[in-house]
């Protein structure tokens, strides 16, 4: 064989495959101290899909930031959440951050890696790996016959924080007992993190057997506990993975974790079974999240403005601010695709603030008294800095509060209604207008309209565009309701002259839609207005 | 040692025909007889085809341990804890179990259980929470029918 053939491209496996075949964990830490990559071994050792998490969360043992640690030298000792210790070697700084190779430091952890967990008597991670291995061997490779259940407690932290670690520990022991009681004698059960458990179920005949146990675990762990005279309620999310041919412990734990992640995303307190494609979906979401985190700094967002028209004199009286994300590779990402992720990850706080500030600054350049409407997510309403942020955005831009309109959806009023109402009143007291967005699509509870004196109701486009009698009736009802409550009514999504005529008949006060103007960039507004 | 009272009701999850129901009720009765007196637990268990409703009283540790066992029982679900509080004295002098409902058939089937234990649901009216429990049990039987 000639030396060249060794280097022929077809002969070299893809780098990803090599990284995933490495027996030791490899992670990449970004300059912001976040994990942006974890190979297969790292996922198994450090708790599943850790990309996107801060370094400090993976290695809580050290009081120092990653930057400080690395400043002292490229060889480190690190302790993971589960107290496993690693010797870490860091590569040189690069555009991506730093690559860390981790080697289990067995010398330093004689007791910590003992096989059973003192608190619950369950197996620990090492024992679990052996247990899965054994189950797979005993079941002839395990395909379709062995399942693992990755269990994560919901609201455990609240119990720990409010009732103390003592009660928290008793609760964990109780949970462990309940899990064991749901399993067969020989099945192995492990606790692999603070409030994470894994069950290895053997002898299953069909996927339904695994689902039955998962449902039982969710139900059982979620039942009320009585601990030292306290009533304690927690929940459990469960990710199930049934062994496929050729699976090892690592694959199963990874799949179980992916399914667990889906169970949590679907709202917790439930189980999900791993399906092919979940990893691709999660990978997509993780990458989107990483991009989303950078988008603000890289100035990939823009605000566009869609005019709305007063029907009394057919004049444009303001614009709604709409976020646009233009990604260099993905192209334009629709808000529908990234806003939910931004809300899930909390990124919406920063993004929403940026939109608010940008919109106020832009609107300040418009002729008076033209207004700007800005959408505020329910998540932003939960933070107690919203009013402050609005005050500051107004002050910085010099926009008078009367020219700002805050749009909320019914979702904002669903939870914690009292505090949300307080915030709304505070905003209204500033002089800011408040409108109810997308009315008619969600719960459309009329009681919301009664709870707060909205300045405006925006009727969802589906009723405007629907030409059936029901839409018509709903449109009419909402409009007359608004009229009698003294609220302005905007019909959204008006696209044709016929729709506009109908809107006029129904006594809507404003329209917004392609017919009266598409969203435009900030610099398109002055030309548009002078037309 | 302080006494506690715990009150809950739950949804009957016994699947199967009348004879299965009867057998399971017998089994619960047997387990309760075996365990409660020894643990210092008194109280009452009301049941019908729809729900179980129970008052447990005794030393806190015994109440907790008994309730934890009951919580893990697959014969019921949706357990709603109505009360957990210290009490000055017991409302029940022993442990009792009885059918509470309008179903004549079940009333007859389970008459012996209540009788042998001297169970009289009407006596539950003396305590507000217990009266609520009894009324709830009756409503739920109707809903389950
Ligand atoms: C609604 C309901 C009420 C029960 N009440 C009691 C009880 O008061 N005491 C008790 O020991 N077991 C009770 N059980 C049975 C327990 O759930 C469990 O099966 C039993 O305590 C096991 O007892 P053993 O370990 O002695 O077999 C009840 C079960 C149900 C479904």
């Amino acid at each position: 064989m000639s030396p060249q053939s060794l280097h022929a491209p077809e002969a070299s496996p893809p780098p990803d495959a090599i990284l995933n075949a490495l027996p030791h964990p490899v992670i990449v830490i970004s300059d912001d101290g976040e994990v942006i990559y974890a190979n297969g071994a790292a996922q198994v050792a450090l708790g599943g899909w850790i990309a996107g998490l801060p370094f400090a969360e993976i290695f809580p043992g050290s009081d120092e930031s990653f930057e400080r640690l690395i400043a002292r030298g490229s060889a480190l000792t690190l302790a993971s959440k589960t107290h496993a210790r690693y010797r870490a070697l860091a590569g040189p700084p690069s555009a991506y951050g730093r690559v860390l190779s981790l080697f289990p430091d067995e010398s330093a952890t004689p007791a910590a890696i003992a096989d059973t967990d003192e608190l619950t008597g369950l197996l620990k991670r090492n024992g679990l790996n052996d247990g899965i291995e054994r189950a797979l061997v005993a079941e002839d490779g395990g395909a379709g016959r062995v399942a693992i259940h990755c269990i994560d407690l919901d609201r455990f932290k609240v119990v720990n924080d409010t009732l103390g670690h003592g009660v928290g520990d008793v609760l964990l022991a109780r949970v462990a007992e309940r899990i064991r009681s749901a399993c067969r004698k020989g099945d192995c059960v492990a606790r692999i993190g603070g409030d994470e458990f894994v069950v290895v179920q053997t002898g299953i005949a069909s996927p339904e057997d695994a689902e039955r146990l998962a449902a039982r675990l969710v139900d059982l762990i979620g039942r009320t506990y009585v601990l030292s005279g306290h009533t304690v309620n927690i929940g459990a999310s469960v990710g199930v993975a049934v062994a496929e041919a050729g699976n090892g412990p690592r694959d199963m734990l990874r799949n179980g974790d992916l399914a667990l992640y889906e169970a949590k995303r679907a709202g917790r307190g439930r189980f999900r079974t791993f399906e092919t494609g979940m990893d691709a979906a999660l990978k997509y979401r993780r990458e989107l999240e990483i991009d989303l985190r950078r988008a603000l700094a890289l100035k990939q967002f823009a605000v566009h403005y869609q005019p709305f028209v007063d029907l009394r004199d057919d004049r444009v009286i303001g614009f709604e601010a709409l976020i646009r994300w233009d990604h260099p590779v993905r192209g334009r990402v629709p808000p529908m695709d990234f806003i939910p992720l931004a809300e899930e990850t909390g990124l919406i706080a920063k993004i929403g603030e940026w939109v608010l500030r940008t919109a106020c600054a832009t609107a300040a350049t418009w002729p008076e008294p033209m207004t700007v409407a800005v959408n505020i997510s329910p998540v932003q309403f939960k933070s107690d800095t919203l009013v402050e942020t609005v005050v500051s955005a107004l002050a910085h831009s010099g926009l008078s509060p009367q020219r700002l309109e805050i749009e909320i959806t019914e979702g904002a009023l669903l939870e914690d209604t009292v505090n949300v109402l307080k915030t709304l009143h505070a905003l209204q007291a500033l002089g800011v207008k408040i409108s109810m967005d997308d009315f008619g699509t969600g719960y459309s509870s009329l009681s919301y309209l009664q709870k707060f004196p909205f300045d405006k109701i925006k009727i969802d486009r589906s009723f405007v565009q629907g030409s059936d009698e029901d839409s018509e009736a709903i449109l009419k009802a909402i409009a007359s309701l608004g009229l009698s409550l003294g609220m302005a009514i905007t019909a959204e999504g008006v696209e044709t002259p016929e729709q506009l005529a109908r809107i006029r008949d129904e006594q809507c006060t404003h329209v917004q839609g392609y017919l009266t103007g598409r969203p435009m960039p900030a610099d398109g507004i002055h030309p548009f207005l002078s037309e | 040692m302080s006494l506690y009272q715990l009150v809950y009701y739950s949804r009957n999850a016994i699947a199967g025909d009348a004879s299965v129901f009867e057998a399971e009720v017998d089994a619960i009765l047997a387990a309760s007889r075996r365990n409660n007196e020894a643990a210092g637990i008194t109280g009452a268990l009301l049941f019908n085809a729809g729900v179980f409703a129970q008052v447990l009283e005794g030393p806190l540790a015994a109440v907790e341990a008994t309730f934890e066992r009951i919580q893990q029982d697959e014969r019921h679900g949706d357990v709603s804890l109505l009360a957990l509080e210290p009490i000055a004295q017991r409302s029940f002098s022993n442990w009792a179990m009885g059918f509470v409902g309008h179903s004549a058939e079940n009333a007859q089937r389970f008459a012996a259980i209540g009788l042998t234990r001297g169970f009289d649901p009407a006596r539950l009216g003396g305590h507000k929470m217990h009266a609520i429990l009894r009324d709830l049990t009756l409503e739920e039987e109707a809903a389950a029918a």
Side-chain angles (χ1 to χ4, degrees):
Chain A
M1 190 191 283
S2 72
Q4 281 83 1
S5 72
L6 272 176
H7 299 286
E10 349 28 297
S12 59
D16 215 36
I18 301 178
L19 280 164
N20 280 325
L22 283 179
H24 69 273
V26 174
I27 56 179
V28 180
I29 310 288
S30 72
D31 291 339
D32 305 337
E34 253 167 38
V35 177
I36 53 175
Y37 173 82
N39 74 346
Q43 287 167 27
V44 171
L46 300 173
W49 278 83
I50 56 174
L53 295 179
F55 173 80
E57 197 167 306
I58 315 282
F59 299 106
S62 110
D63 299 330
E64 286 181 291
S65 69
F66 178 65
E67 240 173 285
R68 303 271 306 271
L69 279 173
I70 204 81
R72 284 199 272 109
S74 59
L76 318 166
T77 307
L78 299 171
S80 75
K81 267 198 302 201
T82 53
H83 308 294
R85 299 176 67 90
Y86 296 94
R87 282 184 306 114
L89 288 179
S94 74
Y96 295 102
R98 279 181 189 263
V99 179
L100 276 188
S101 285
L102 304 174
F103 304 98
D105 189 357
E106 265 112 18
S107 65
T109 46
I113 304 204
D115 264 358
T116 53
D117 170 39
E118 256 172 69
L119 181 62
T120 59
L122 300 178
L123 290 173
K124 300 214 292 195
R125 193 177 280 277
N126 276 6
L128 171 65
N129 284 338
D130 294 347
I132 300 175
E133 194 87 64
R134 248 180 289 123
L136 291 175
V137 171
E139 297 271 12
D140 210 10
R145 303 180 48 99
V146 176
I148 65 158
H149 302 255
C150 294
I151 306 166
D152 203 33
L153 304 186
D154 307 327
R155 296 185 301 280
F156 174 71
K157 196 172 144 22
V158 182
V159 175
N160 242 345
D161 291 349
T162 52
L163 299 174
H165 291 283
V167 174
D169 282 354
V170 178
L171 176 59
L172 288 173
R174 221 35 104 61
V175 170
E177 259 171 48
R178 288 197 187 176
I179 294 175
R180 234 180 333 218
S181 83
C183 298
R184 295 199 312 188
K185 274 264 157 10
D187 288 348
C188 102
V189 183
R191 182 165 81 112
I192 56 167
D195 58 352
E196 294 166 53
F197 298 83
V198 177
V199 169
V200 185
Q201 183 185 14
T202 53
I204 60 174
S206 71
E208 287 78 53
D209 285 343
E211 282 168 19
R212 211 170 301 120
L213 177 58
R216 172 81 180 134
L217 288 168
V218 170
D219 171 34
L220 196 58
I221 299 172
R223 294 184 176 195
T224 305
Y225 298 78
V226 175
L227 306 170
S228 319
H230 299 287
T231 321
V232 175
N233 288 295
I234 56 166
S237 304
V238 177
V240 185
V242 179
E244 291 164 17
N247 275 178
R250 215 189 250 201
D251 310 295
M252 295 201 68
L253 286 170
R254 202 185 82 104
N255 293 351
D257 255 332
L258 281 164
L260 173 59
Y261 180 83
E262 289 296 331
K264 290 198 225 169
R265 247 174 56 85
R268 300 175 176 272
R270 65 198 68 213
F271 74 88
R272 281 284 181 274
T273 307
F274 173 79
E275 292 163 17
T276 349
M278 271 186 184
D279 42 358
L282 181 63
K283 190 159 168 253
Y284 171 79
R285 236 175 1 248
R286 283 281 202 232
E287 285 167 0
L288 192 65
E289 182 182 336
I290 289 171
D291 284 351
L292 193 57
R293 281 181 193 278
R294 299 184 190 137
L296 259 188
L298 297 180
K299 305 211 183 325
Q300 292 168 349
F301 290 124
V303 180
H304 284 202
Y305 300 87
Q306 183 173 36
F308 44 86
V309 170
D310 187 335
L311 281 176
R312 280 171 311 189
D313 52 10
D314 291 345
R315 289 163 61 103
V316 172
I317 56 159
F319 295 82
E320 179 179 21
L322 298 163
I323 188 164
R324 293 287 179 261
W325 180 15
D326 287 311
H327 185 272
V329 179
R330 297 175 188 275
R332 177 159 293 179
V333 187
M336 233 169 41
D337 289 1
F338 71 87
I339 295 294
L341 183 64
E343 292 181 323
E344 231 174 78
T345 52
L347 288 169
I348 194 72
K350 275 196 198 160
I351 298 174
E353 177 171 348
W354 177 82
V355 170
L356 178 69
R357 290 182 184 279
T358 308
C360 287
T362 305
T365 69
W366 300 342
E368 305 242 9
M370 209 151 267
T371 60
V372 66
V374 179
N375 294 284
I376 301 287
S377 139
V379 180
Q380 288 170 277
F381 266 95
K382 282 196 193 136
S383 91
D384 35 53
T385 55
L386 181 62
V387 178
E388 251 171 71
T389 308
V390 170
V391 169
S392 147
L394 289 170
H396 270 93
S397 61
L399 188 72
S400 76
Q402 290 70 25
R403 296 178 60 195
L404 174 63
E405 211 173 287
I406 297 270
E407 297 194 356
I408 73 163
T409 56
E410 290 167 276
L413 284 160
L414 279 185
E415 277 174 51
D416 199 17
T417 314
V418 177
N419 276 321
V420 172
L421 287 177
K422 221 161 64 191
T423 306
L424 287 178
H425 281 292
L427 289 170
Q428 206 169 45
L430 293 175
V432 171
K433 300 215 171 47
I434 310 286
S435 48
M436 165 71 83
D437 203 2
D438 297 340
F439 195 75
T441 51
Y443 300 82
S444 303
S445 161
L446 298 181
S447 70
Y448 291 140
L449 298 183
Q450 205 182 28
K451 280 195 183 119
F452 186 79
F454 289 96
D455 296 286
K456 192 191 263 182
I457 304 171
K458 300 184 76 175
I459 305 180
D460 188 71
R461 58 182 60 240
S462 54
F463 303 111
V464 174
Q465 291 169 352
S467 50
D468 53 306
E469 276 174 28
D470 286 353
S471 311
E472 185 118 21
I474 291 170
L475 193 67
K476 198 178 239 144
I478 300 178
S480 72
L481 190 75
L483 200 66
S484 61
L485 290 170
M487 298 173 185
I489 302 288
T490 299
E492 286 188 275
V494 175
E495 289 181 358
T496 66
E498 293 74 40
Q499 287 165 355
L500 182 60
R502 200 153 58 93
I503 298 306
R504 268 188 215 280
D505 289 348
E506 304 305 357
Q507 320 198 11
C508 290
T509 55
H510 302 82
V511 287
Q512 181 178 339
Y514 278 7
L515 185 67
T516 46
R518 293 175 177 248
M520 59 192 86
D523 58 13
I525 290 178
H526 287 284
F528 172 79
L529 288 177
S530 50
E531 250 172 42
Chain B
M1 199 167 22
S2 62
L3 286 174
Y4 269 74
Q5 183 180 73
L6 183 154
V7 183
Y8 75 82
Y9 81 96
S10 61
R11 218 147 286 285
N12 188 335
I14 298 172
D17 59 12
S19 67
V20 177
F21 184 28
E22 197 172 338
E24 293 298 350
V25 165
D26 279 343
I28 293 170
L29 178 67
S32 304
R33 276 189 184 149
R34 185 161 63 237
N35 301 320
N36 291 3
E37 198 176 315
I41 295 283
T42 56
L45 172 61
L46 321 185
F47 68 92
N48 57 41
V51 296
F52 291 103
Q54 190 166 27
V55 181
L56 291 170
E57 40 183 43
L60 181 58
V63 170
E64 285 192 16
T66 305
F67 180 64
E68 178 62 25
R69 270 204 319 278
I70 296 172
Q71 261 305 35
Q72 295 183 18
D73 202 311
E74 286 191 76
R75 289 171 288 200
H76 65 168
D78 291 341
V79 176
S80 308
L81 200 58
L82 300 180
L84 171 68
E85 57 201 11
I87 46 173
Q89 68 210 32
R90 295 180 191 258
S91 307
F92 298 84
S93 54
N94 59 6
W95 183 82
M97 175 167 174
F99 172 79
V100 174
H102 295 301
S103 154
E105 190 193 334
N106 278 337
Q108 197 181 7
R109 175 173 301 124
F110 296 116
I113 294 180
L115 286 179
T116 51
R117 302 293 295 176
F119 185 79
D120 177 8
R123 261 184 33 217
L124 281 172
H127 193 298
K128 187 156 158 265
M129 178 58 89
H130 304 164
I132 292 173
L133 204 58
R134 186 193 54 203
D135 295 346
L136 197 68
T137 313
L138 285 171
E139 279 166 27
E140 293 293 332
E141 181 195 38

